[in-house]
Amino acid sequence: MKVPFEDWLIKQNISVQASELLKEAILCYKSSAYRASLLFSYLTFQTVIKDRILEAKKPSAIPQSLWDSIQRDLLNDDIWESKLLETVNRKQPAEIFLLSEEVRKQYEYWKDRRNDCAHAKGNQISYQHVEVFWLFIESNLAKFVVNGGKESLIEEIKVHFDWNITPRSADYTKIIESIPIVVEKSDHNEFLQNIYDYFNDKYILTDNTVLKFWASLLKIDGEFSNSTVKFLVDKGSFILELLMDEPILVVYFREEKQFIRSLWKEKFWNSYRIYPLFITMLRSKLIPLEELREAIERVSVVVNDTHFSRVEQVDVASLQESGFFEIFKDLAFGEYRKIQNFNWARGNKHIICLYLKIYGLNSDIVSVLNDTFNANHIPWKLGDAIKELFEERPSIRDSYIKLNEDIDGELPESLGFD
């Protein structure tokens, strides 16, 4: 049976040599040989770091001769461990690993524990040491990325998204993990602009794979996510395409009040993918209460309601909780009687029928429907939808007839009444 750490590390795409060392570490751990387990775990970690250096491009601030020397020494079985320690801790002429002082101290601590194991020193080593070291690796392995600088990282992204070279299905997790380590805060905007321009020039900006990559950029913890939000707010149709592809991303823009308003006020267009985004905005309470009626009225004019022909219950619940249906009912059947507008009624027929399914009829609604469908020019698309509703839910038709008797109204023949 594999321990969780083994499963996790194998998924990091480690080399065969590192994998074999890991197996030795796990075997020793299961046999309660904790000194040996910690030693082999440490060698596994060191081997992964060594492999990363050997596979990496030269950091821009490191002379080629020095880089060649480092890589040559790491291939020497007699000295590679000591040279790796020097490389990790090197700060001149530039850092090869951009690590915090806290991580460097922890790295030194585990080097000392490795020495306790290798040289039979008096310090006790137990299973807790092994497990804590594994937690250290899980928490910090992503930080041990060679500092190739943002230029190298941009080139890596370009190669990754050149599908003549790299398969579309290739994993870009390591690139994402490298970004907050390699790219300084002051360079965030320039970095984002470079990759945006590359995708745009290659006409792949809205390709699904590229959209998923941008979603990953937004999800990077900390300052980089904030910088990505700031970068994207003025990217017009692209940001809308990104949010329609993955609506939950809109929550990252919670603090961008002007952007949220401009999204529903200016950017929404007549696409079946708009309503899932709008419902997510309502569910996440991104639209201020004082703007809610204006937003719903705007969306009901701009966006057709195809989404509601197959709406899921979770969306219905979100709409109910947000107050959507109360406002929509007033728009449709209230003072302005928007259902009498042919285009509006056609574009919102599914929502109207959904409302009637959930809340039923009352005498005011029946009166408005009578006036609408006894007129010379009727919204016949809505009329057809209501007749289908009557066939699906005969109880609603029966309720209509009874309420009509109460108000002494005239049943519309256009709704199938004889």
Side-chain angles (χ1 to χ4, degrees):
M1 177 179 172
K2 290 183 178 179
V3 299
F5 174 71
E6 184 179 7
D7 279 334
W8 177 84
L9 191 57
I10 290 296
K11 291 176 183 177
Q12 309 308 305
N13 297 317
I14 62 176
S15 67
V16 173
Q17 183 182 10
S19 180
E20 290 301 316
L21 288 166
L22 175 63
K23 289 177 183 177
E24 292 284 346
I26 300 298
L27 180 62
C28 292
Y29 173 82
K30 291 179 178 179
S31 302
S32 301
Y34 299 122
R35 286 181 180 273
S37 180
L38 184 58
L39 178 58
F40 278 114
S41 296
Y42 182 82
L43 287 172
T44 301
F45 182 51
Q46 292 288 80
T47 300
V48 172
I49 299 174
K50 178 185 74 171
D51 291 340
R52 288 183 175 183
I53 297 173
L54 293 174
E55 294 168 3
K57 294 181 180 179
K58 179 185 76 67
S60 56
I62 300 294
Q64 186 64 54
S65 58
L66 175 58
W67 186 245
D68 291 343
S69 174
I70 290 170
Q71 291 192 316
R72 186 168 53 251
D73 289 343
L74 292 180
L75 291 170
N76 187 325
D77 288 342
D78 295 326
I79 62 174
W80 77 269
E81 259 205 279
S82 61
K83 292 299 179 181
L84 182 61
L85 286 166
E86 290 178 14
T87 302
V88 170
N89 291 316
R90 177 181 290 278
K91 294 188 176 181
Q92 297 297 331
E95 292 179 303
I96 291 177
F97 292 98
L98 299 177
L99 302 171
S100 69
E101 287 305 311
E102 179 60 28
V103 173
R104 291 184 189 279
K105 287 178 183 178
Q106 292 181 55
Y107 180 69
E108 285 292 319
Y109 171 83
W110 290 112
K111 183 259 294 181
D112 292 340
R113 300 293 73 73
R114 175 263 187 213
N115 290 341
D116 289 342
C117 298
H119 303 301
K121 293 188 176 181
N123 290 331
Q124 184 179 358
I125 299 296
S126 68
Y127 72 92
Q128 291 101 324
H129 289 86
V130 179
E131 292 175 0
V132 172
F133 181 55
W134 289 348
L135 289 174
F136 167 77
I137 296 174
E138 287 191 45
S139 300
N140 295 285
L141 184 60
K143 299 173 184 176
F144 284 80
V145 179
V146 173
N147 174 24
K150 70 178 187 298
E151 291 80 10
S152 296
L153 197 52
I154 289 169
E155 287 306 311
E156 189 175 350
I157 292 169
K158 290 179 179 179
V159 169
H160 185 93
F161 288 95
D162 183 343
W163 293 311
N164 293 320
I165 302 172
T166 308
R168 278 176 175 268
S169 59
D171 185 19
Y172 47 75
T173 301
K174 287 185 178 179
I175 294 176
I176 295 297
E177 290 173 345
S178 300
I179 289 172
I181 301 167
V182 172
V183 185
E184 298 288 342
K185 182 180 178 182
S186 59
D187 292 329
H188 285 177
N189 197 71
E190 181 185 352
F191 175 83
L192 290 164
Q193 189 65 55
N194 267 281
I195 60 176
Y196 179 90
D197 290 343
Y198 172 76
F199 292 141
N200 197 38
D201 291 345
K202 294 279 286 185
Y203 300 104
I204 59 172
L205 188 58
T206 57
D207 181 274
N208 186 255
T209 304
V210 173
L211 291 174
K212 297 301 182 190
F213 179 75
W214 280 96
S216 297
L217 295 180
L218 274 172
K219 295 172 185 175
I220 294 174
D221 288 338
E223 287 294 338
F224 193 84
S225 178
N226 297 334
S227 297
T228 306
V229 167
K230 298 291 185 185
F231 176 81
L232 289 173
V233 291
D234 65 349
K235 292 301 178 286
S237 59
F238 170 67
I239 182 58
L240 182 57
E241 192 69 31
L242 178 62
L243 296 179
M244 288 192 298
D245 186 69
E246 194 171 336
I248 193 61
L249 295 176
V250 75
V251 300
Y252 287 93
F253 297 82
R254 182 182 297 277
E255 301 304 318
E256 301 295 325
K257 308 297 185 184
Q258 293 181 350
F259 168 76
I260 292 294
R261 179 174 174 82
S262 71
L263 197 57
W264 58 260
K265 186 71 173 177
E266 298 177 330
K267 294 182 175 62
F268 279 2
W269 58 288
N270 194 10
S271 167
Y272 71 93
R273 296 191 296 159
I274 288 292
Y275 258 113
L277 171 57
F278 185 59
I279 292 171
T280 302
M281 294 169 70
L282 295 176
R283 183 184 300 129
S284 304
K285 296 180 171 56
L286 299 184
I287 301 174
L289 285 175
E290 63 272 17
E291 297 179 20
L292 194 55
R293 181 185 175 92
E294 183 186 3
I296 292 171
E297 185 167 7
R298 168 68 179 169
V299 173
S300 72
V301 170
V302 173
V303 185
N304 78 68
D305 68 348
T306 306
H307 176 72
F308 290 88
S309 63
R310 54 186 182 278
V311 67
E312 296 183 6
Q313 185 56 41
V314 64
D315 285 346
V316 174
S318 295
L319 291 171
Q320 289 177 304
E321 184 179 345
S322 72
F324 174 91
F325 284 115
E326 288 86 347
I327 294 172
F328 187 86
K329 173 197 171 186
D330 189 53
L331 292 173
F333 302 105
E335 179 183 359
Y336 296 104
R337 298 190 173 192
K338 282 183 171 289
I339 68 163
Q340 295 178 354
N341 179 298
F342 182 88
N343 289 330
W344 192 93
R346 178 184 59 192
N348 292 280
K349 62 183 184 293
H350 293 302
I351 302 179
I352 293 169
C353 289
L354 177 61
Y355 177 88
L356 297 179
K357 286 180 183 179
I358 297 171
Y359 297 102
L361 296 160
N362 62 34
S363 56
D364 290 334
I365 292 176
V366 169
S367 177
V368 173
L369 289 171
N370 283 347
D371 291 345
T372 301
F373 289 98
N374 282 322
N376 291 329
H377 302 287
I378 66 171
W380 58 271
K381 285 280 190 181
L382 173 59
D384 289 345
I386 292 176
K387 285 190 286 186
E388 289 179 12
L389 174 64
F390 287 165
E391 292 179 7
E392 179 187 344
R393 300 280 183 91
S395 60
I396 297 178
R397 187 178 190 277
D398 293 342
S399 175
Y400 194 116
I401 294 171
K402 184 178 184 306
L403 288 165
N404 184 70
E405 290 174 356
D406 293 342
I407 63 173
D408 195 23
E410 179 184 351
L411 292 171
E413 292 183 10
S414 57
L415 290 182
F417 295 109
D418 295 330

